[in-house]
Amino acid sequence: MTDSHALPLKDALRQACREIEASIDALLPPVPGDESLLIDAMRYAALNGGKRLRGFLVLEIAALFGASREAALRVAASVEFLHAYSLVHDDLPAMDDDDLRRGQPSTHKKFNEAFAILAGDALQTSAFEVLLEDATSADPTIRAELALALARASGSAGMVGGQVIDIRGEGKALPLEKVKRLHAMKTGALIRYAAEAGAILAGLKADDPRRQAIVRYGTDLGTAFQVADDILDTTASTEELGKTAGKDEDACKSNYVSLLGIEGARKEALRLSEQARQSLSFFGPRADTLRALADYFVERRN
Amino acid sequence: MTDSHALPLKDALRQACREIEASIDALLPPVPGDESLLIDAMRYAALNGGKRLRGFLVLEIAALFGASREAALRVAASVEFLHAYSLVHDDLPAMDDDDLRRGQPSTHKKFNEAFAILAGDALQTSAFEVLLEDATSADPTIRAELALALARASGSAGMVGGQVIDIRGEGKALPLEKVKRLHAMKTGALIRYAAEAGAILAGLKADDPRRQAIVRYGTDLGTAFQVADDILDTTASTEELGKTAGKDEDACKSNYVSLLGIEGARKEALRLSEQARQSLSFFGPRADTLRALADYFVERRN
């Protein structure tokens, strides 16, 4: 096992990606028999590429606080299961109706709608299952806290709630405050969770100032990610994105670009990234990869 | 709070039903604002009637082992959230395409497909959230064990896996062993969980013979329930069921009736119910309501 803190960001990301996919592969092995097709659909959705930024956040922050890499890889896989489930359901015809995901047929196109619904359902379940197994932590308080925080980040007060606000906002001009809240729930909560989960896994309590600094970092990172996503949705091609570009404009959705303009959105992304870096002032050079990650979040091209 | 063990089964069921619905109502209160419609859809799905047999099992077994009623009502609500999510997704057009549920429009008919998908998703999340909150148990080992067992009962190796086998079996003649396995996963696992959860909540360890007896009871009850369901699907009207009758025959599904005949299925249901009763021999008269419940499971008319 290499210490990824010694690597430049791109190498660290690449290595983490490999390790996270190996962890997903091991936690969700193919099975024989009648339910094989369900597992195949779950694996298709969970192993179909992706930058693994959420999983990487878990790994980096777990390492910062000295948690075991093996356990952190389980938590990273769990966050990626949760993320994969949300993408599978978001792509369904009744939702965003998107045939492409990461340049490949989305799960309901590759399998069918019923299997996509069920694979998403079971991926959500797997996310909790993996967190709650003894191998994640010998301490049941930590297992329960990891799973409770995931539920809060991803349910009606988090990711799914944000998705509902997003759907209801289509075709309407939303004020900036509402767009901020929507994205803090829809994408921000899970990114923030990924950061906090690394600290929870390492045993840091909720009132520990180091954990609170990480939560601030994760919160700003999540917002920066969404602002950058809105910029990419406007400026990048479908080919570059591996998913349909220009979707917000097509759906008449208010986003950071429609509200702030491209230049205003770029400035906001940089401000958030800088603010995220400042939350790391506690940690000295060991957090350099996390600092580089804050830059990467706003500079990415897909 | 009345001791439901002193009541005849029907009264105990009615009282539990009221308490479980109050618990669901309190755990999932209506909210103002943009996500109100999501919560409305979740409440519609979770509060839309139902016999609350799973929640009742939790309450009765928790009471048998002296767990607090307040905590048991949280676990009962959680099991009902999980069950409600499965019904909402099962009714979707891409799945069973059923417009009726408990005599009312199913969730995607009352709201729309996107909201039904998201409400189901968030109900699953809520099931885990409620179990993992401190109010369910001061002991994190118990909270984590309750949630892990729920994940195992409801994911790819349990409920969702069984649903997949069911879908893949449509139009095919399945052997009895496969039908048994399908239902043990699709409906049995959650009923068994409901029983075991009462014992977990009361602090009984997995190797405690009393918990093992309850697991055997819950397993037989789950199978008896499905056999009775197949009998009702053949013999009862849509009006009596509050959902579409004759669905298995329409979908050319193998079930206990097609494999054993009506009389054979009735005998099997009685055998299972008797076997479930025998698992309770440990517990003396305090388990009389659970004994009556085993009879009720096979005698019910809807």
Side-chain angles (χ1 to χ4, degrees):
Chain A
M1 211 181 314
T2 322
D3 181 355
S4 64
H5 288 276
L7 299 173
L9 178 66
K10 288 233 162 129
D11 296 324
L13 269 171
R14 204 172 299 126
Q15 181 186 311
C17 215
R18 274 196 301 270
E19 287 180 74
I20 292 166
E21 302 214 340
S23 173
I24 292 173
D25 181 55
L27 288 166
L28 194 64
V31 298
D34 299 302
E35 58 270 49
S36 57
L37 208 55
L38 172 68
I39 306 291
D40 291 348
M42 292 168 73
R43 288 174 57 88
Y44 181 79
L47 289 167
N48 192 19
K51 292 178 289 297
R52 311 292 180 195
L53 292 175
R54 292 161 190 79
F56 183 67
L57 263 176
V58 174
L59 296 185
E60 282 298 313
I61 290 162
L64 183 66
F65 296 123
S68 103
R69 184 88 170 176
E70 200 181 327
L73 278 165
R74 294 176 60 88
V75 178
S78 162
V79 175
E80 295 292 341
F81 284 160
L82 203 296
H83 180 52
Y85 125 67
S86 76
L87 299 181
V88 172
H89 282 191
D90 279 2
D91 286 341
L92 286 167
M95 306 270 287
D96 288 354
D97 193 14
D98 213 320
D99 293 354
L100 271 183
R101 169 66 61 184
R102 293 172 187 151
Q104 302 291 325
S106 41
T107 305
H108 67 275
K109 296 303 284 184
K110 179 78 179 179
F111 295 81
N112 63 37
E113 269 189 67
F115 276 81
I117 293 166
L118 292 168
D121 288 346
L123 281 167
Q124 176 176 185
T125 318
S126 292
F128 289 105
E129 190 172 353
V130 167
L131 291 180
L132 289 161
E133 283 171 339
D134 290 356
T136 299
S137 170
D139 182 345
T141 309
I142 288 178
R143 298 198 302 273
E145 192 175 356
L146 282 169
L148 177 58
L150 181 66
R152 287 182 173 154
S154 61
S156 57
M159 186 184 75
V160 173
Q163 173 71 3
V164 164
I165 303 175
D166 197 20
I167 290 175
R168 298 190 73 185
E170 282 178 21
K172 290 179 199 159
L174 301 184
L176 185 59
E177 281 316 305
K178 191 169 280 197
V179 169
K180 279 187 182 168
R181 178 163 180 270
L182 183 173
H183 290 305
M185 292 167 73
K186 186 180 168 179
T187 53
L190 194 60
I191 291 173
R192 174 194 142 135
Y193 170 78
E196 190 170 18
I200 295 173
L201 183 67
L204 272 63
K205 300 292 171 202
D207 59 1
D208 187 314
R210 294 170 301 163
R211 176 163 152 188
Q212 290 168 349
I214 286 299
V215 168
R216 287 196 301 278
Y217 169 79
T219 305
D220 287 330
L221 215 61
T223 315
F225 180 85
Q226 187 58 49
V227 178
D229 218 50
D230 289 351
I231 295 170
L232 283 170
D233 185 70
T234 311
T235 59
S237 70
T238 296
E239 196 182 341
E240 284 168 316
L241 287 182
K243 61 181 180 181
T244 313
K247 276 167 60 179
D248 282 355
E249 206 178 336
D250 291 349
C252 296
K253 279 187 190 177
S254 300
N255 69 22
Y256 285 106
V257 172
S258 68
L259 287 161
L260 303 174
I262 285 275
E263 277 317 303
R266 285 202 171 113
K267 266 187 204 153
E268 178 64 3
L270 285 173
R271 186 189 71 77
L272 288 160
S273 157
E274 181 51 38
Q275 193 168 288
R277 280 173 154 272
Q278 280 165 17
S279 300
L280 300 174
S281 54
F282 260 113
F283 303 114
R286 293 202 62 229
D288 277 350
T289 310
L290 291 171
R291 291 187 184 92
L293 187 67
D295 299 335
Y296 174 81
F297 258 56
V298 301
E299 287 161 5
R300 68 201 173 87
R301 288 286 163 265
N302 59 51
Chain B
M1 212 180 314
T2 320
D3 180 355
S4 63
H5 288 277
L7 298 174
L9 179 65
K10 288 234 160 126
D11 296 324
L13 270 170
R14 203 172 299 127
Q15 181 187 311
C17 214
R18 274 195 301 270
E19 286 179 75
I20 292 167
E21 302 214 337
S23 174
I24 291 172
D25 182 56
L27 288 165
L28 194 64
V31 299
D34 297 304
E35 59 271 49
S36 59
L37 208 55
L38 172 68
I39 306 290
D40 290 349
M42 293 168 73
R43 288 173 58 87
Y44 181 79
L47 289 167
N48 192 18
K51 293 178 288 297
R52 310 294 179 195
L53 292 174
R54 293 162 191 78
F56 183 66
L57 264 177
V58 175
L59 295 185
E60 282 299 312
I61 290 163
L64 183 65
F65 297 123
S68 102
R69 184 87 170 176
E70 202 180 326
L73 279 164
R74 295 176 60 87
V75 178
S78 161
V79 176
E80 295 291 341
F81 283 161
L82 203 296
H83 180 52
Y85 125 67
S86 76
L87 299 181
V88 173
H89 282 191
D90 279 1
D91 286 341
L92 286 167
M95 307 270 287
D96 288 353
D97 192 14
D98 213 318
D99 293 354
L100 271 183
R101 172 63 65 183
R102 295 172 186 152
Q104 302 291 325
S106 41
T107 305
H108 67 276
K109 296 302 283 184
K110 180 77 178 182
F111 295 82
N112 63 36
E113 269 189 67
F115 275 82
I117 293 166
L118 292 168
D121 288 345
L123 280 167
Q124 178 177 183
T125 319
S126 292
F128 289 104
E129 188 172 354
V130 166
L131 291 180
L132 289 160
E133 283 171 339
D134 289 356
T136 299
S137 170
D139 182 344
T141 309
I142 289 177
R143 298 198 302 276
E145 193 175 356
L146 283 170
L148 177 59
L150 181 65
R152 288 183 172 155
S154 62
S156 57
M159 186 184 75
V160 174
Q163 173 71 4
V164 164
I165 303 176
D166 198 21
I167 291 175
R168 298 191 74 185
E170 282 179 22
K172 290 180 199 158
L174 302 183
L176 184 60
E177 280 318 303
K178 192 169 277 194
V179 169
K180 278 187 183 169
R181 178 162 180 270
L182 182 173
H183 290 305
M185 292 167 74
K186 184 180 169 179
T187 54
L190 193 60
I191 291 172
R192 174 193 143 137
Y193 170 78
E196 190 170 18
I200 296 172
L201 183 68
L204 273 62
K205 300 292 171 203
D207 59 1
D208 188 313
R210 295 170 300 166
R211 178 163 151 189
Q212 290 169 347
I214 286 299
V215 168
R216 287 195 301 276
Y217 169 79
T219 305
D220 288 329
L221 216 59
T223 314
F225 180 85
Q226 187 58 48
V227 179
D229 217 51
D230 289 351
I231 296 170
L232 283 169
D233 185 69
T234 311
T235 59
S237 69
T238 296
E239 196 181 341
E240 283 168 316
L241 288 183
K243 62 181 180 182
T244 312
K247 276 166 60 180
D248 283 354
E249 205 177 340
D250 291 349
C252 294
K253 279 187 190 174
S254 300
N255 69 23
Y256 285 106
V257 173
S258 69
L259 287 161
L260 302 174
I262 285 274
E263 277 318 300
R266 284 202 172 115
K267 266 187 205 155
E268 178 65 3
L270 285 172
R271 187 188 70 78
L272 288 160
S273 156
E274 182 51 37
Q275 192 169 290
R277 280 174 155 272
Q278 281 167 14
S279 300
L280 300 174
S281 55
F282 261 112
F283 303 112
R286 293 200 64 228
D288 278 349
T289 310
L290 290 171
R291 291 187 186 92
L293 186 67
D295 299 334
Y296 174 80
F297 257 56
V298 300
E299 287 161 6
R300 67 201 174 86
R301 288 285 163 268
N302 60 49

